[in-house]
Amino acid sequence: MALHYGAMLRECIRHQTVARYVLESEHMKKFFDYIQLPNFDIAADAAATFKELLTRHKSTVAEFLSKNYDWTNATMSDFVQNSQLLSGLKKDEDKASFLAREVFWKFL
């Protein structure tokens, strides 16, 4: 069901007024949670919607980013760090050795 709503939302986002409404709503903050869900279909759909939202109407997005710079910067930094950590854990077969290596590099 979530996938159907994602497709409908992407169609609606093509209209600038709807995109502005979504950007300014509290639901915008939930996209980062949805993108990190373990269910690949939902996470990929949320990522596609997020990409569409941030690339369709450049003037609206620029206005949103300038108004919400602090929140956007903090959230994106956390998101990138979490994504890099998760991708490192997935690539490394032994999670303990990965974490030990991270701790080792912090103390160097």
Side-chain angles (χ1 to χ4, degrees), residues 8-26:
M8 291 185 337
L9 180 59
R10 281 190 299 282
E11 286 296 318
C12 293
I13 286 172
R14 292 182 177 189
H15 300 281
Q16 192 165 6
T17 54
V18 177
R20 180 176 286 116
Y21 176 80
V22 173
L23 283 169
E24 294 173 355
S25 73
E26 290 297 315

Side-chain angles (χ1 to χ4, degrees), residues 4 9 19 38 44 52 58 75 82-83 87 89-90 98-99 103:
H4 298 294
L9 180 59
E52 180 75 19
K58 291 175 179 41
T75 305
N82 288 341
S83 297
S87 67
L89 287 173
K90 289 176 185 175
F98 174 78
L99 293 174
V103 170

